[in-house]
């Protein structure tokens, strides 16, 4: 019986995405259409520059986004949910520091009806006082519980250490701020930022005449508005932060540094560097910390992109008694990337993994729509996907070492650890 032999990975030669059809409506709304007639579903994503950096009251941005579907004088929140359920429609909200994303999806034949309900959510929210107080009470308690975890403590402290406690990307608020959040603050945030000029929509799937008309009707109801701009003071990084957490059995570690947004010519190369360190299950830090020593269940490293900044970060949780040893090993692996060229074999594996991940993300019309949204936010078009794949495949061992030497100097890295330092091993 012959031994099992793993097949050689097939290289991804090219990824080509269709360019979205752009529609500009009289009110200033911009629609991007990605027809895919072979699918029987449609999704539209409304993106507004309405994230937390644009709020005037603590938690107003997330509360506004999450309470859009709680009804108005015409329809209650329960009735909105029932209507969406009746047509098998999907509604989802997500928010980050910069943007709010509202997604509506359904079978193509029910998309016009779905958008009728979407209009109640997007165009006529009332933010009822009762629902707001229930929401604030729940989220306040959830935040208190979350902040009792070392992982949350490290994540928030890492943002403060990278940007500064007063920077919009590093700022955090006490849970008690939910008690003073008012309906007026939500209404003001909505009026100012949920406008045609402060966002756009991307629609993908089976987009016929009826779907186009329904989408244009909905987007035409948005007020004109202007693009929102946020004020960003200079970042003020802190090299090391330790947060004591008595009784914690694990330490949460964050290491990284401010770098540059996705548009920078070295961003893709640094994605390769991050993947080598902790971007897949067999990465260097996974082998060192998990497989060889059993210090952690997992470790990740990545390049992160925001509208006004980009940064490198790695994260893991380890037993409190091995915290210092884990930190030493992490720094050693970073230095090894700076001192020794990666082998062609290891680099080729990482390149295959990154290309495969691109294919996975772009599988289907919704994945293509997500990539289109990101490209629009970065000021590029879908042709950048093929260019990024080319850059990944063109990365050499010498380039990896150059990038690590330039951007991963120990003295420039920010380190945050949350844990019980009175119980070190």
């Amino acid at each position: 019986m012959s031994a099992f032999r793993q097949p050689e990975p097939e290289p991804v030669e090219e990824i080509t995405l269709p360019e979205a059809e752009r529609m500009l409506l009289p009110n200033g709304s911009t629609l991007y259409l990605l027809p895919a007639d072979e699918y029987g579903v449609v999704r539209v994503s409304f993106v507004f520059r309405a994230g937390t950096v644009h709020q005037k009251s603590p938690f107003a941005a997330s509360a506004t986004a999450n309470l859009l579907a709680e009804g108005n004088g015409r329809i209650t929140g329960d009735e909105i949910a029932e209507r969406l359920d009746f047509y098998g429609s999907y509604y989802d909200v997500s928010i980050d520091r910069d943007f709010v994303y509202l997604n509506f999806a359904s079978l193509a034949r029910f998309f016009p009806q779905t958008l009728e309900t979407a209009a109640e959510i997007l165009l006529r929210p009332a933010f009822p006082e009762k629902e707001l107080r229930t929401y604030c009470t729940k989220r306040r308690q959830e935040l208190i519980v979350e902040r009792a975890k070392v992982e949350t403590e490290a994540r928030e402290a890492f943002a403060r250490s990278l940007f500064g406690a007063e920077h919009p990307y590093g700022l955090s608020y006490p849970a008690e701020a939910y008690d003073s959040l008012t309906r007026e603050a939500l209404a003001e945030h909505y009026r100012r930022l949920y406008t045609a000029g402060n966002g756009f929509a991307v629609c993908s799937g089976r987009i016929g005449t009826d779907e186009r008309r329904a989408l244009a009707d909905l987007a035409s109801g948005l007020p004109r508005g202007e693009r929102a701009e946020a004020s960003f003071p200079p970042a003020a990084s802190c090299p090391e932060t330790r947060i004591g957490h008595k009784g914690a059995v694990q330490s949460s570690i964050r290491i990284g540094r401010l770098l540059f947004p996705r548009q920078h010519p070295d961003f893709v190369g640094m994605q390769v560097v991050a993947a080598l360190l902790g971007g897949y299950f067999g990465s260097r830090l996974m082998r060192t910390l998990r497989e060889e020593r059993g210090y952690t269940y997992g470790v990740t490293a990545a390049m992160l992109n925001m509208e006004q900044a980009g940064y490198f970060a790695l994260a893991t949780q380890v037993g409190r008694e091995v915290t210092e040893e884990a930190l030493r090993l992490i720094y050693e692996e970073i230095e090894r990337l700076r001192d020794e060229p990666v082998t062609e074999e290891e680099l080729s594996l990482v390149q295959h993994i990154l290309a495969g991940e691109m294919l996975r993300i772009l599988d289907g019309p919704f994945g293509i729509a997500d990539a289109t949204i990101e490209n629009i936010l970065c000021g590029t078009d879908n042709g950048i996907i093929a260019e990024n794949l080319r850059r990944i495949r063109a990365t050499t061992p010498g380039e990896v070492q150059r990038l690590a030497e330039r951007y991963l100097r120990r003295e420039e890295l920010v380190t945050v650890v949350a844990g019980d330092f009175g119980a070190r091993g």
Side-chain angles (χ1 to χ4, degrees), residues 153 315 357 359:
E153 287 180 321
E357 180 64 9
L359 286 176

Side-chain angles (χ1 to χ4, degrees), residues 30-46:
T30 305
L31 310 180
Y32 295 89
L33 307 179
L34 291 158
D37 292 341
E38 65 271 29
Y39 296 91
V41 293
V42 187
R43 191 192 79 179
V44 60
S45 300
F46 288 90

Side-chain angles (χ1 to χ4, degrees), residues 132-323:
L132 172 59
R133 297 274 61 89
T134 300
Y135 169 86
C136 288
T137 300
K138 179 181 177 182
R139 293 303 288 263
R140 182 184 191 275
Q141 185 58 35
E142 288 174 347
L143 185 56
I144 291 171
V145 172
E146 277 298 307
R147 284 181 172 163
K149 302 175 183 177
V150 291
E151 183 177 10
T152 303
E153 287 180 321
R155 184 178 67 249
E156 292 190 343
F158 185 61
R160 291 194 298 271
S161 296
L162 278 182
F163 297 101
E166 301 304 316
H167 192 282
Y169 287 157
L171 191 62
S172 59
Y173 297 102
E176 292 75 19
Y178 275 114
D179 297 340
S180 57
L181 186 59
T182 66
R183 179 188 172 280
E184 289 70 26
L186 272 61
E188 186 277 336
H189 189 84
Y190 170 80
R191 285 193 303 269
R192 181 166 51 91
L193 300 171
Y194 286 71
T195 67
N198 194 44
F200 59 90
V202 174
C203 187
S204 61
R206 185 177 294 175
I207 308 170
T209 303
D210 290 343
E211 289 77 22
R212 285 172 178 258
R213 183 184 302 115
L215 181 57
D217 286 346
L218 174 56
S220 295
L222 290 166
R224 282 186 170 273
E226 299 292 335
R227 176 187 166 112
E229 301 293 346
S231 175
F232 288 83
S237 295
C238 174
E240 182 166 346
T241 301
R242 296 252 174 171
I243 302 171
H245 189 120
K246 187 174 176 59
V249 297
Q250 286 190 312
S251 297
S252 186
I253 297 171
R254 297 286 189 281
I255 297 174
R257 63 161 298 185
L258 274 177
L259 284 175
F260 31 69
R262 189 176 296 276
Q263 299 91 326
H264 193 279
D266 284 341
F267 190 94
V268 172
M270 281 302 296
Q271 284 183 306
V272 176
V273 173
L276 282 161
L277 274 173
Y280 65 104
F281 191 77
S283 65
R284 292 186 174 193
L285 287 174
M286 282 291 281
R287 290 198 305 269
T288 300
L289 295 180
R290 177 184 164 123
E291 295 176 27
E292 295 175 6
R293 292 169 176 80
Y295 286 174
T296 184
Y297 286 110
V299 57
T300 61
M303 284 291 293
L304 288 303
N305 181 66
M306 296 148 83
E307 187 174 33
Q308 302 291 336
Y311 60 95
F312 163 80
L314 67 84
T316 189
Q317 289 190 189
V318 301
R320 66 186 180 188
E321 69 281 0
V322 298
T323 300

Side-chain angles (χ1 to χ4, degrees), residues 98-113:
D98 299 298
F99 300 99
V100 168
Y101 310 82
L102 310 176
N103 301 308
F104 300 91
S106 73
L107 294 173
R109 66 179 182 273
F110 295 136
F111 193 61
Q113 295 92 327

Side-chain angles (χ1 to χ4, degrees), residues 352-409:
H352 285 308
I353 288 171
L354 290 174
E357 180 64 9
M358 291 174 71
L359 286 176
R360 184 192 67 78
I361 291 171
L362 298 171
D363 183 23
F366 297 169
I368 293 173
D370 289 336
T372 301
I373 290 170
E374 184 172 353
N375 293 336
I376 292 169
L377 295 179
C378 291
T380 61
D381 58 31
N382 284 351
I384 195 65
I385 299 295
E387 173 63 17
N388 286 345
L389 177 61
R390 186 197 66 75
R391 290 181 182 178
I392 289 170
R393 296 189 59 191
T395 304
T396 64
E399 179 72 358
V400 168
Q401 189 173 8
R402 180 190 73 81
L403 292 170
E405 287 176 345
R406 181 172 183 181
Y407 296 122
L408 297 183
R409 298 186 184 97

